[in-house]
């Protein structure tokens, strides 16, 4: 027997997803592109953006971040209703920018980045929250070798990811998500669970941009899609 705890992680709404698929963008030799990555999280009081440069076409791609040569002159998110949140550079990491606010379900957020003479804009709407309806308790015992059904109420959320982590693993480290579209049930297969160990089963509502990026088998199309950024290349 093992214990499983249920956490309704309520949001994956990217303002910009630009890290993947940039090899498909054809640029003149030596030209760089501004890249912004960010995911709003309704369960966090601190929101993070990563702002860096692509590797110029024709050059060897190396691992690691490539911060801008000059810091952005403006990085902000404007919430529906008028609130503006300014992102400040992390003194320990020049590619990391942080703002203190907690996104609200159902609200629209607009990103504005001005840097190196380039203006990037993106928009996202935070998905509705998730309510677990089965199992009824948030912590249950379950046989190691049995599949585990999960059901939820998701309001108008069309895209949901369901996955398992051990109790000590952060939500950002999950693997093998099962993507569900236009449904409110999933079955977690028994091989996800280890005996005599606490596990967390996460049910995460996501916007359509995130789903297109991570849930290609659900959508039936290619893995890389055009994202929600205007003024730059990437996803």
């Amino acid at each position: 027997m093992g214990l499983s705890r249920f956490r309704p992680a309520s949001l994956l709404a990217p303002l910009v997803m630009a890290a993947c698929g940039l090899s498909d963008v054809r640029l003149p030799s030596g030209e760089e592109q501004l890249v912004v990555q960010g995911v709003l999280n309704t369960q966090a009081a601190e929101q993070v953006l990563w702002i860096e440069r692509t590797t110029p076409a024709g050059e060897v791609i190396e691992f690691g971040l490539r911060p801008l040569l000059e810091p952005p002159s403006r990085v902000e998110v404007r919430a529906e209703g008028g609130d503006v949140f300014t992102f400040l550079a992390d003194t320990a990491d020049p590619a990391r920018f942080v703002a203190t606010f907690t996104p609200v379900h159902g609200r629209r957020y607009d990103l504005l980045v001005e840097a190196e003479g380039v203006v990037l804009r993106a928009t996202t709407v935070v998905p509705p929250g998730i309510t677990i309806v089965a199992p009824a308790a948030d912590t249950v015992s379950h046989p190691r070798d049995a599949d585990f059904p999960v059901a939820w109420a998701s309001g108008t959320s069309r895209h949901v990811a369901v996955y398992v982590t051990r109790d000590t693993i952060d939500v950002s480290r999950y693997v093998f998500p099962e993507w569900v579209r236009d449904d409110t049930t999933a079955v977690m297969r028994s091989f996800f669970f280890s005996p005599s160990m606490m596990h967390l089963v996460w049910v995460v509502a996501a916007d359509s941009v995130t789903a297109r990026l991570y849930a290609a088998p659900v959508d039936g199309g290619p893995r890389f899609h055009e994202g929600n950024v205007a003024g730059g290349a990437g996803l």
Side-chain angles (χ1 to χ4, degrees), residues 1-4 140-146 164-167 189-199:
M1 302 287 286
L3 288 176
S4 296
V140 298
S141 296
H142 187 70
R144 161 68 180 86
D145 57 352
V164 176
T165 67
R166 295 180 182 177
D167 195 28
R189 300 305 176 188
S190 60
F191 64 80
F192 284 107
F193 300 97
S194 301
S196 303
M197 182 176 294
M198 175 71 78
H199 295 77

Side-chain angles (χ1 to χ4, degrees), residues 87-109:
F87 284 75
L88 302 177
D90 185 335
T91 55
D93 189 337
R96 185 175 185 267
F97 293 77
V98 180
T100 302
F101 70 99
T102 300
V104 177
H105 297 291
R107 186 168 294 180
R108 167 178 166 157
Y109 292 86

Side-chain angles (χ1 to χ4, degrees), residues 35-111:
V35 181
V36 182
Q37 304 173 67
V39 176
L40 296 180
N41 185 347
T42 60
Q43 294 188 330
E46 184 179 84
Q47 308 302 314
V48 177
L49 293 176
W50 297 89
I51 304 176
E52 55 181 320
R53 298 167 291 143
T54 61
T55 300
E59 294 188 10
V60 176
I61 297 178
E62 299 179 352
F63 290 102
L65 299 173
R66 303 183 74 245
L68 305 185
L69 299 178
E70 297 290 337
S73 58
R74 189 178 182 186
V75 181
E76 66 182 33
V77 165
R78 183 179 297 272
E80 181 181 350
D83 291 335
V84 177
F85 307 100
T86 299
F87 284 75
L88 302 177
D90 185 335
T91 55
D93 189 337
R96 185 175 185 267
F97 293 77
V98 180
T100 302
F101 70 99
T102 300
V104 177
H105 297 291
R107 186 168 294 180
R108 167 178 166 157
Y109 292 86
D110 298 305
L111 171 69

